[in-house]
Amino acid sequence: MKTNNISIIKKSFIMGLTIVSLFITPLYAKGKSARSLTQIKKSGSIKIAVFSDKKPFGYVDENGEYQGYDIYFGNRIAKDLGVKVKYIPVEAASRVEVLTTGKVDLVLANFTVTEERAQKVDFALPYMKVALGIVSPKSALITDPAQLNGKTLIIAKGTTAEAYFSKNYPEINLLKFDQYSEAYNALLDGRGDGLSTDNTEVLAWAIENPDFAVGAGADSIGNLDSIAAAVQKGNKELLDWLNDEIIKLGKENFFHADYEATLREVYGKDSDADSLVVEGGKL
C-alpha cells in the first residue's frame, strides 16, 4: 500500500514538472542570442531594423528602395564592415523586441535613448538630438500642449511621445497607432486635433502638407533627447565596433554629409544642421 502511494506521488510530481515546463519553456524561448561581430562578417550581411514609413529618416520610396537619414548611416555601416545590408521594417513599439529575439543585429529606427529602454538594449553613441513637436491644422493651430486637454492627440505606440503625454498631460485623449503612416492618415482624416512625434519629423511633414503647421511653442516639447543605434543587451563586440565607427565618422563630418544628402532638401537651404546632427557621439 505504501509503495503504491509513493508511486502515485512520483507520478504526480513528474506530471507537475511537465505542466510547469510547458509554461516556463516559452518564456526562455523568446530570447535568442545576438550574432557577434565575427558571425556577422562571416555571414556576409548585417540585418538592420529601420522604419519604412517615417520620412525623411527611414522610408521606402516609389521604387521600393529604402531611403533616409538612418538608411544613409546603415549603408555606411555595412560598407565599413565589408558586408551587404538587409533592412528589416519595424514598428516603433517593436524596436526592443526585434533585438531581444535576435531578429536583427542592429536597430537604426530613430530610436530615442531612455533609461527604461537602456535596461533592455545597449545603445551606441548618439548621432542625432531631438525633442517632441506637435503638428496640427493651421485652422486650429496648437501652440501649447495644454490646448489639447479634453481633445485628441494622435501618436504612435511605443514612442517617447506616448510616454511623455501619458505622464504629463493625462487629460489629453491619446489615439494610438502601430504605424506612422496610419497616424498621419488619421490626422489628415480629422480623427485628431494634432499629432506628436519627434519635432524633426513633424516639421518635415508640415512642409509637405501646407494645410498643417507646427506652431511656435509646440515645436520643442519635453527634454532634448538623443537618438542612437541599439544592439542586443550584452553584445559588446558589436557595440564597441559601432562606437569606434561613430567616432571615426565624426572626424570626417559624416553626419553633416548625411544631413545634406537626405534632409537639406526637406528642411530648406536655410535650415541649421547643427540643431539635429551629432558628430563623433558628442552632444
Side-chain angles (χ1 to χ4, degrees), residues 11-184:
K11 288 180 180 179
S12 298
F13 180 71
I14 292 170
M15 288 179 65
L17 287 176
T18 303
I19 293 170
V20 169
S21 68
L22 291 174
F23 288 95
I24 292 176
T25 301
L27 296 177
Y28 287 97
K30 286 182 181 179
K32 182 180 179 182
S33 295
R35 297 195 303 169
S36 67
L37 184 65
T38 302
Q39 290 172 322
I40 291 169
K41 287 182 176 181
K42 188 174 181 180
S43 74
S45 67
I46 184 169
K47 294 181 287 185
I48 303 178
V50 294
F51 286 129
S52 61
D53 61 349
K54 194 172 184 180
K55 193 174 182 180
F57 298 99
Y59 66 100
V60 177
D61 66 16
E62 63 275 7
N63 298 315
E65 299 291 330
Y66 280 95
Q67 303 288 355
Y69 187 83
D70 287 342
I71 310 305
Y72 191 97
F73 183 26
N75 289 342
R76 179 61 182 267
I77 288 172
K79 177 184 176 183
D80 289 352
L81 275 174
V83 299
K84 295 180 179 179
V85 62
K86 181 178 182 181
Y87 290 116
I88 310 294
V90 68
E91 296 171 356
S94 302
R95 288 173 292 187
V96 170
E97 180 191 353
V98 293
L99 282 175
T100 57
T101 55
K103 293 178 181 177
V104 300
D105 304 303
L106 177 68
V107 170
L108 271 184
N110 226 228
F111 212 179
T112 303
V113 178
T114 67
E115 290 184 10
E116 181 182 0
R117 289 170 177 169
Q119 293 174 5
K120 302 173 184 176
V121 302
D122 283 336
F123 284 104
L125 294 171
Y127 63 96
M128 280 176 58
K129 51 191 174 186
V130 69
L132 293 174
I134 299 173
V135 61
S136 56
K138 286 182 176 178
S139 58
L141 191 64
I142 301 299
T143 57
D144 188 312
Q147 291 174 248
L148 288 164
N149 286 337
K151 297 182 179 181
T152 299
L153 178 66
I154 299 166
I155 57 161
K157 296 177 183 176
T159 60
T160 49
E162 179 181 19
Y164 178 81
F165 285 100
S166 295
K167 178 181 179 180
N168 296 288
Y169 292 91
E171 294 181 32
I172 296 177
N173 302 313
L174 300 181
L175 180 58
K176 306 176 184 182
F177 291 92
D178 289 320
Q179 298 183 344
Y180 282 98
S181 55
E182 295 174 331
Y184 280 113

